[in-house]
Amino acid sequence: MASRKQLEVHSGDQTPQKWCISLGEEVFKRFISQGSPTVHKVFNEGSLFSPLLFGKFFDPSDAFPLWEFESDILLSNLRSSGQSTVDWSQTDQDYVLKAELPGVGNNVQVCVEKGKVVEISGQWKQQRESKTKDWRSGHWWEYGYVRRLELPEDADWRRIEASVSNDILIEVRIPKNLTVGDASQGNDAARKDSEVGGS
């Protein structure tokens, strides 16, 4: 039987210095070439947390506009080789992201930053005594993983839900703010009514 655990979605940035050190392509190549099997599991090409997920290098600590792209197109090479463990889509009501977690600890966190970015992160290795208090403030890839995604304009970030199934599959649901809507969904008339009524 599948186990499903709701995750708390945090808002408000408690660590302003997190992700301040970017992961560069050359640094990543060196890191992955010397990495353990755990490192390869966390950052393999088909992982949500891999800088190579989208076909070319992109630092996962930089916010990516995921919902501007179709998953079938962006991940076509990975899917054809059976490497992708990520999918995203949208319905009339919400945006959905599903991804396999690296399976190296069940401490995944979902945070919303300033209502504009959703961040999925977790720690795969405990940090030893360090000058920095938080693993996310330094060379974060040595201790954990992250994927930061820009929220679409019509996302209702206050109602984001996240859950993990069987400690390995994360699902993030981002409801659409239907009051923003677009004319093709019939919300234009409702918006005009509210503007007239609010004057």
Side-chain angles (χ1 to χ4, degrees):
M1 186 168 169
S3 70
R4 187 175 188 86
K5 178 177 79 172
Q6 282 299 121
L7 299 175
E8 182 178 350
V9 177
H10 303 275
S11 62
D13 197 6
Q14 309 304 326
T15 312
Q17 294 300 313
K18 66 182 178 179
W19 323 126
C20 64
I21 297 181
S22 295
L23 175 57
E25 190 168 3
E26 291 305 313
V27 170
F28 179 71
K29 284 178 182 175
R30 275 194 310 275
F31 175 68
I32 203 81
S33 72
Q34 300 166 0
S36 67
T38 301
V39 167
H40 288 274
K41 189 172 189 175
V42 172
F43 295 107
N44 79 55
E45 209 169 317
S47 166
L48 175 65
F49 308 103
S50 172
L52 301 170
L53 177 64
F54 305 119
K56 64 178 191 171
F57 189 87
F58 190 89
D59 181 353
S61 70
D62 287 337
F64 186 81
L66 184 72
W67 284 276
E68 290 180 14
F69 300 91
E70 295 289 327
S71 65
D72 289 341
I73 295 169
L74 204 55
L75 300 176
S76 63
N77 289 342
L78 290 171
R79 286 193 176 151
S80 65
S81 63
Q83 290 182 307
S84 180
T85 60
V86 180
D87 196 17
W88 64 90
S89 60
Q90 65 175 301
T91 67
D92 290 343
Q93 289 81 32
D94 53 16
Y95 298 92
V96 180
L97 169 69
K98 294 179 182 182
E100 196 172 297
L101 293 170
V104 289
N106 54 1
N107 61 355
V108 67
Q109 292 185 341
V110 179
C111 301
V112 176
E113 185 179 300
K114 299 177 184 174
K116 301 209 179 281
V117 174
V118 65
E119 167 184 299
I120 303 163
S121 65
Q123 197 169 353
W124 62 269
K125 177 181 169 185
Q126 289 300 315
Q127 185 177 12
R128 292 193 180 109
E129 293 279 333
S130 174
K131 295 176 210 150
T132 58
K133 293 178 181 158
D134 190 301
W135 65 271
R136 300 169 296 179
S137 300
H139 293 170
W140 54 266
W141 55 90
E142 294 177 1
Y143 304 100
Y145 51 88
V146 64
R147 174 60 69 188
R148 298 179 72 237
L149 303 168
E150 289 179 13
L151 289 170
E153 278 188 36
D154 62 345
D156 186 351
W157 64 270
R158 290 176 182 90
R159 294 187 8 218
I160 292 176
E161 293 181 0
S163 62
V164 174
S165 298
N166 298 330
D167 291 330
I168 196 148
L169 186 67
I170 189 166
E171 181 175 314
V172 179
R173 289 193 166 274
I174 305 166
K176 291 182 178 180
N177 186 347
L178 299 178
T179 59
V180 172
D182 64 49
S184 67
Q185 294 180 351
N187 290 328
D188 198 38
R191 200 169 40 249
K192 286 180 182 171
D193 288 347
S194 69
E195 289 171 1
V196 171
S199 303

